[in-house]
Amino acid sequence: MGGRVDSILSLGGLAILAVLLLGAVLRLAVGRTKSAPSLLDGLEAEAEGTPTGRSARSEILPSFEAVLDRVVRPRHLAHPGWERLDGAQGVPGRTVALFEHQGSVYALNGASRFDALLAAGNWILDHPDESAVVVRSTEGGAGQLMLRPEIGHPAKSVLMRSE
């Protein structure tokens, strides 16, 4: 029995114990980071007039136009230097808003560019009786929601069907 205690208290045993404790602390820190509200969650809440701490991603907005009014334009006013909705560069975007279109729910990705979305908003002002988005057929049959080609901004991977 004394040999086990000695080996645990030896330099090698203490090093193994330190590695195990560090691993536990890192797992705890990562878990808290994932559950804590992000900077973008706060921006979404501000943009929609919801109480801080409630993520706008949990709310399904009634239309693409509502996303422009309640998420895109306020975020652009708050961060005019950003090119993307999430302000990041070179990384995949996360969902920043959900909205309905023709009975399906779609997600707006944080990698979406302000210029394309603001152009869609301007197009809507000039064409109030038409939708700025169209469903393009795909092989799987689900369809992909795209900005109209006449808006002039290819918007691949901007609007996705949310499953």
Side-chain angles (χ1 to χ4, degrees), residues 37-59 70-71 74-75 96-97:
S38 71
L39 171 64
L40 292 180
D41 288 339
L43 289 174
E44 291 160 3
E46 286 175 22
E48 294 191 38
T50 58
T52 303
R54 181 174 149 216
S55 173
R57 288 176 288 174
S58 63
E59 179 182 1
R70 296 172 64 185
V71 177
R75 192 173 286 193
V96 296

Side-chain angles (χ1 to χ4, degrees), residues 16-38:
I16 291 171
L17 186 59
V19 168
L20 292 174
L21 285 173
L22 181 61
V25 168
L26 287 175
R27 265 186 259 130
L28 180 63
V30 168
R32 285 188 181 191
T33 301
K34 287 182 181 176
S35 65
S38 71

Side-chain angles (χ1 to χ4, degrees), residues 64 99-102 106-107 131 133-136 142-147 155-161:
F64 178 68
F99 65 98
E100 285 189 59
H101 180 74
Q102 296 179 346
Y106 290 88
S131 176
V133 292
V134 294
V135 178
R136 186 182 79 180
Q144 180 180 20
L145 197 61
M146 305 282 295
L147 293 179
K156 294 180 181 174
S157 77
V158 170
L159 310 168
M160 304 166 260
R161 177 166 264 155

